[in-house]
Amino acid sequence: MNKRGNWNSRIGFILAASGSAVGLGNIWRFPYTAGKNGGAAFLLIYLAAIVVLALPVLLAEAALGRATGRNPVGAFKALAPRGLWKGFGYLGVTAGFMILSYYAVIAGWTLGYFLKALRGEFNALAAAGKDAAVVSQQTFGTFTATPVLQIILLAVFLGLTVYVTSRGVSGGIERWSKLLMPVLLVLLVVLMIRSLTLDGAGVGLKFYLKPDFSRITPSVVIAAMGQAFFSLSLGVGTMITYGSYVRKNENLPASAGWIALCDTIIAITAGFIIFPAVFSQGMDPAGGPGLVFNILPVIFAKIPLGQVFGSLFFLLLAIAALTTTVSLLEVPVAYFIDERGWTRRRAAWITGIFCVIMGIPAALSQGSVGFLSRLPLVNMDFLSLWDLIWGNLVLSIGALFIAVFVGWVWKSSKALMEISRGGGRFRLALFWVIAIRYVAPALILVILLSKIL
Ligand code: PHE
């Protein structure tokens, strides 16, 4: 058995897990999904899902990981050697890998946009005046429809991910997260202030904050629930894996609370940046995956030193994405190390290379290849389809099974012992038990079925 690493500091898990949670999910996926699903009504359901569903599952995953000290497959196997449970471990490992394959495409965009901003390519937007949004959309369209560039960016980003991952869990992830996340937040606040003071920002604010309950449909609820799990990196075993490196003296409930709080604050702030600006520039909030990349350059064109702020922002976003892709790659890597006896380097490289190949259809689906950009039958592009399947449905199913497993098979009483091991009284123990045994399984199931029925 390989010796497994541990986080270096007592709050190592908070840092690394927040690094995993905070990423494109908050700044890219949350605003565009909220925009597509009616704004404020979505926000409301999202927040409820974080508290009632995601937080309890986060705690369950972390406890499962720490108690077993294993990757998702190993964790299920350790506690339920017989039966089909470990199958869900495999599902998680697969989902983590599949999410990484398209997530890295968007992450590649942040690199591309960093370079564009650095070279001053967005400066022209300032001169474009009222047409800035149109010009920005054209720039983005051309960028994503350049096949070779898209594949190169995908490969470079996965290369960076493999590099960091192959150096081990506590290598740099912890320290980077500690340093860079506050800087990212400061920059987000600057952008938020600018966006809120744009002409016509009020309409966007209203869209974001004043719920129109008639817009709540089963699809909106599924999207909000999926976003809550996605944003906290749940349902695919990331938090089981990261939990397996947690020291026994770390306070899990407090950690989970902090992670969810950081993550939610950043997502909400991103909404305060995107919606006022989108409405003030006459753009469509339901514009899809390109939304954030279309609007951000327009905002930068409207602040002093926009080129500096713009480059810095996309650089930080790329780093935030990197701490997330590292956590996604860590799931299959931990599996190959624990269960197959591979070395870390080998596991990281082989999985990474395979992931580049699997990511190519998504990379070509934003205008490069017509068929992939608009798939027949489903009427969406390949990347959005993958995100729906893996990032929403499989992820929610994964969360469902983790709740059932921890609540009923491993038993919530045993899980509670693990949870309260790090000292401090866990005051919400009763709430957690009810949530993990009854509320989460029932609600997730009903929400998933609501679409079919
Ligand atoms: N939570 C990450 C983000 O918001 C995405 C993610 C999903 C990571 C699932 C791991 C597992 O960017």
Side-chain angles (χ1 to χ4, degrees):
M1 188 93 277
N2 287 297
K3 190 179 172 319
R4 290 173 61 89
N6 258 322
W7 304 117
N8 287 325
S9 54
R10 205 177 59 80
I11 59 161
F13 175 62
I14 298 191
L15 294 174
S18 317
S20 168
V22 175
L24 298 169
N26 309 59
I27 289 162
W28 159 74
R29 198 180 194 263
F30 171 77
Y32 104 73
T33 312
K36 229 174 49 187
N37 289 287
F42 174 91
L43 175 64
L44 214 64
I45 304 173
Y46 170 73
L47 290 177
I50 289 280
V51 177
V52 179
L53 302 175
L55 247 176
V57 173
L58 172 56
L59 208 45
E61 282 202 28
L64 195 56
R66 183 166 75 174
T68 58
R70 286 282 173 284
N71 67 90
V73 175
F76 282 115
K77 243 202 275 185
L79 297 171
R82 275 162 298 151
L84 291 173
W85 283 104
K86 65 173 188 284
F88 295 108
Y90 285 111
L91 185 70
V93 174
T94 311
F97 174 82
M98 296 308 276
I99 291 175
L100 180 58
S101 75
Y102 70 82
Y103 194 97
V105 173
I106 322 291
W109 294 354
T110 63
L111 278 188
Y113 263 51
F114 163 61
L115 294 175
K116 274 183 187 297
L118 200 64
R119 295 211 309 249
E121 279 184 38
F122 298 129
N123 294 350
L125 292 178
K130 279 217 315 287
D131 295 330
V134 178
V135 176
S136 174
Q137 276 164 310
Q138 279 164 356
T139 310
F140 180 72
T142 315
F143 168 72
T144 56
T146 313
V148 179
L149 177 65
Q150 290 295 308
I151 294 175
I152 291 176
L153 289 172
L154 164 71
V156 168
F157 208 93
L158 280 170
L160 289 170
T161 308
V162 166
Y163 175 75
V164 177
T165 307
S166 63
R167 299 181 41 158
V169 281
S170 54
I173 310 174
E174 276 182 66
R175 241 172 308 141
W176 283 26
S177 309
K178 184 158 54 181
L179 207 74
L180 293 167
M181 227 131 35
V183 186
L184 180 64
L185 189 61
V186 171
L187 219 58
L188 287 171
V189 172
V190 171
L191 288 178
M192 179 174 78
I193 293 169
R194 177 65 264 218
S195 187
L196 287 171
T197 50
L198 288 171
D199 278 343
V203 190
L205 265 186
K206 203 169 141 210
F207 174 79
Y208 190 38
L209 296 179
K210 193 157 176 278
D212 170 0
F213 292 102
S214 69
R215 301 221 29 186
I216 300 180
T217 60
S219 312
V220 172
V221 181
I222 291 180
M225 173 176 78
Q227 177 62 25
F229 290 135
F230 186 93
S231 198
L232 283 178
S233 303
L234 300 172
V236 304
T238 315
M239 291 301 180
I240 299 180
T241 309
Y242 269 21
S244 73
Y245 308 125
V246 179
R247 298 179 174 199
K248 294 289 184 195
N249 64 356
E250 184 155 338
N251 183 337
L252 284 186
S255 306
W258 277 111
I259 295 160
L261 191 69
C262 284
D263 188 71
T264 308
I265 288 177
I266 293 196
I268 290 182
T269 312
F272 277 116
I273 297 170
I274 303 301
F275 293 116
V278 159
F279 279 87
S280 106
Q281 301 304 307
M283 279 168 60
D284 176 11
L291 186 70
V292 175
F293 288 87
N294 284 325
I295 194 67
L296 282 172
V298 179
I299 309 178
F300 288 120
K302 288 181 188 296
I303 53 179
L305 293 178
Q307 189 172 346
V308 177
F309 277 114
S311 328
L312 188 60
F313 177 82
F314 284 113
L315 181 64
L316 285 168
L317 188 56
I319 295 170
L322 185 62
T323 55
T324 303
T325 52
V326 164
S327 76
L328 280 163
L329 186 61
E330 184 65 25
V331 180
V333 164
Y335 164 76
F336 285 122
I337 296 175
D338 291 350
E339 310 295 315
R340 298 294 169 98
W342 290 14
T343 64
R344 173 166 282 278
R345 264 186 64 153
R346 173 161 182 229
W349 277 103
I350 293 182
T351 321
I353 290 170
F354 197 48
C355 203
V356 175
I357 299 168
M358 293 299 286
I360 289 176
L364 297 180
S365 75
Q366 303 296 308
S368 299
V369 174
F371 169 76
L372 292 169
S373 309
R374 188 150 205 89
L375 294 169
L377 289 176
V378 286
N379 249 332
M380 51 171 105
D381 62 89
F382 185 85
L383 193 153
S384 302
L385 179 68
W386 245 204
D387 189 36
L388 177 68
I389 295 177
W390 300 102
N392 240 322
L393 301 179
V394 174
L395 199 105
S396 301
I397 294 170
L400 169 66
F401 283 110
I402 285 162
V404 172
F405 183 79
V406 170
W408 298 91
V409 180
W410 184 26
K411 295 263 163 31
S412 41
S413 50
K414 290 218 191 90
L416 266 183
M417 264 158 58
E418 182 62 43
I419 290 174
S420 28
R421 197 193 273 272
R425 236 183 77 229
F426 179 28
R427 286 201 204 87
L428 296 173
L430 186 64
F431 167 79
W432 181 79
V433 171
I434 295 173
I436 212 71
R437 285 175 71 110
Y438 305 101
V439 181
L443 261 184
I444 301 173
L445 196 66
V446 169
I447 292 173
L448 284 176
L449 291 178
S450 67
K451 178 83 179 166
I452 309 167
L453 300 176

